[in-house]
Amino acid sequence: MNDALRRSAAHVLVDSLDAPALDPLDVHHLLRVLRVGPRDVVTVSDGRGAWATAALEPDWVLRLTGAPERVERPAPVGVATALVKGDRAELVVQKLTELGVDRIWFFTSSRSVVRWDDERGSRHLGRLRRIAREAAMQSRCVWAPEVDLVGWERLAAEPGAVLAEPGATARLDAAVRLVVVGPEGGFSPDEVACGLPTVTLGEQVLRVETAAIAAAVLLTTARRGPD
C-alpha cells in the first residue's frame, strides 16, 4: 500500500475525483468522529482504482492536493456465501472488504434457512453495500467491492469457481477466482454434483462466516503469490 494512503488522517470514497463531493454522513464522520482539520492530509478515491491526496476546506469541500494516481486492479477474486441469520452477513461483508475481496455475493441454497423476498433483499443489500463502503474507507481500499445477491445458476457457471466442502482434499490455489460457501447444513447432493470442483478450507467444519473469512485470506494470499 502507498505510504500516503496508509498514513492519511482519513480515507473517503466519492463518485468522481473531478468534483469530489462528500456524502453528508462522511462529513459528520470526518469532522465529529475523526476530527479532521484543514491541516490534515486525507485521501480520496472513486472506488475504481483512482485516488489522490486532499485537504478538507472550511466549507466541507475537498480540495485535491496531489495529482490523481491509479492502482491497477489485480485479478478479481470473490466469495459467495449462503444467506445467514442476523448480523452475520454484515460481519462477512465488513471483513471480506478489509481483506481485499472484490466480489461478495450471497445466494439461497436449497438447504438455506434464511430467504429474502424482493423487498427484503433490496433493503438488506442496501445496508450491506453501505457497510462495504465504510469498511473500504477504513481499510484504505481504492477498489470498492461488489456486493450482490445472485442465483445458483450464475455461481455454477462462474469461471474459476469452487465449492468449499468438508472432506475435500484439493487445496485452494491461484487459479481459483470464486469460493462458494454453503449453509450450515451443507450443500445438497445436487449442488455438489453441479460440476464445480471442491476444495478444503481446513480440517474443521466451519460456520458460514468463518469459512468466508478463511476463503478470503486464502484467495488474496494465493493471488499475491510467493513473497
Side-chain angles (χ1 to χ4, degrees), residues 57-157:
E57 300 287 3
D59 56 358
W60 304 345
V61 171
L62 281 172
R63 174 178 56 83
L64 298 190
T65 58
E69 300 184 34
R70 182 166 184 81
V71 176
E72 293 304 319
R73 190 176 204 171
V77 294
V79 176
T81 72
L83 293 173
V84 289
K85 293 181 180 179
D87 59 1
R88 294 160 65 193
E90 297 178 5
L91 175 68
V92 167
V93 168
Q94 182 186 69
K95 299 311 174 188
L96 266 57
T97 300
E98 292 176 8
L99 288 166
V101 171
D102 305 287
R103 295 174 296 173
I104 306 170
W105 291 348
F106 294 90
F107 67 95
T108 302
S109 169
S110 63
R111 292 180 174 173
S112 292
V113 175
V114 179
R115 296 175 184 271
W116 293 347
D117 57 28
D118 289 344
E119 181 181 351
R120 189 179 182 190
S122 178
R123 185 172 66 252
H124 280 296
L125 279 176
R127 170 67 177 158
L128 294 176
R129 286 165 178 162
R130 288 194 297 273
I131 288 172
R133 184 176 183 275
E134 292 166 1
M137 291 192 293
Q138 185 277 328
S139 54
R140 305 310 199 256
C141 293
V142 297
W143 283 97
E146 170 195 341
V147 180
D148 209 352
L149 179 66
V150 302
W152 179 260
E153 295 77 11
R154 180 173 180 181
L155 298 177

